[in-house]
Amino acid sequence: VSMQLIGPTELLGLPHNLNISISGCALFGFGAGLYLTPGLETQTQLAVNVCGYPDNVDTRSLLQQMMRIAFAVGGIIGPIFGGFLTDYLGMEIACSLLSLLGLPFLLALLAVFIFRCHVD
């Protein structure tokens, strides 16, 4: 939704307005903050309980470094891919495509929660 507001895309029918784009950026930042902190704790629990790593500072440091590497790679690839899309397709269509890229991950996340509820 936030990428749809940043554009704003034609799918929502919103006018090109700076306040709408700022709202999309704020929503994007809020969503990023919501998934980063629980994600690190979940990774730690999986590493300790499932994979057998010790619950100490070394394990947490390793997981934080892996997350940093993922963000560094995303920080390199993201602007290149986003700039390419924006240059060739325009801001509105680029934001629509980037928001559609997140749809499979959202569906996978929902499937995990549904499956997890039925197992427990």
Side-chain angles (χ1 to χ4, degrees):
V1 172
S2 62
M3 291 302 291
Q4 297 281 331
L5 291 175
I6 291 172
T9 66
E10 296 175 3
L11 297 174
L12 297 178
L14 296 174
H16 293 277
N17 188 344
L18 184 60
N19 291 332
I20 293 173
S21 295
I22 290 172
S23 299
C25 288
L27 186 63
F28 185 80
F30 182 72
L34 284 177
Y35 82 84
L36 287 179
T37 304
L40 188 58
E41 184 60 32
T42 303
Q43 287 176 349
T44 304
Q45 290 174 356
L46 286 173
V48 171
N49 297 333
V50 176
C51 299
Y53 285 94
D55 189 11
N56 59 18
V57 176
D58 293 336
T59 302
R60 291 180 184 268
S61 297
L62 176 68
L63 293 172
Q64 287 178 352
Q65 291 169 6
M66 289 170 58
M67 190 174 265
R68 285 276 198 210
I69 290 170
F71 276 99
V73 170
I76 294 168
I77 295 173
I80 294 170
F81 183 64
F84 173 78
L85 285 178
T86 303
D87 283 346
Y88 289 101
L89 300 177
M91 183 69 171
E92 296 86 8
I93 297 174
C95 286
S96 295
L97 288 176
L98 290 176
S99 65
L100 290 176
L101 286 175
L103 190 61
F105 296 106
L106 177 64
L107 294 175
L109 182 65
L110 289 174
V112 166
F113 281 124
I114 291 170
F115 177 73
R116 190 175 196 186
C117 290
H118 287 298
V119 170
D120 293 335

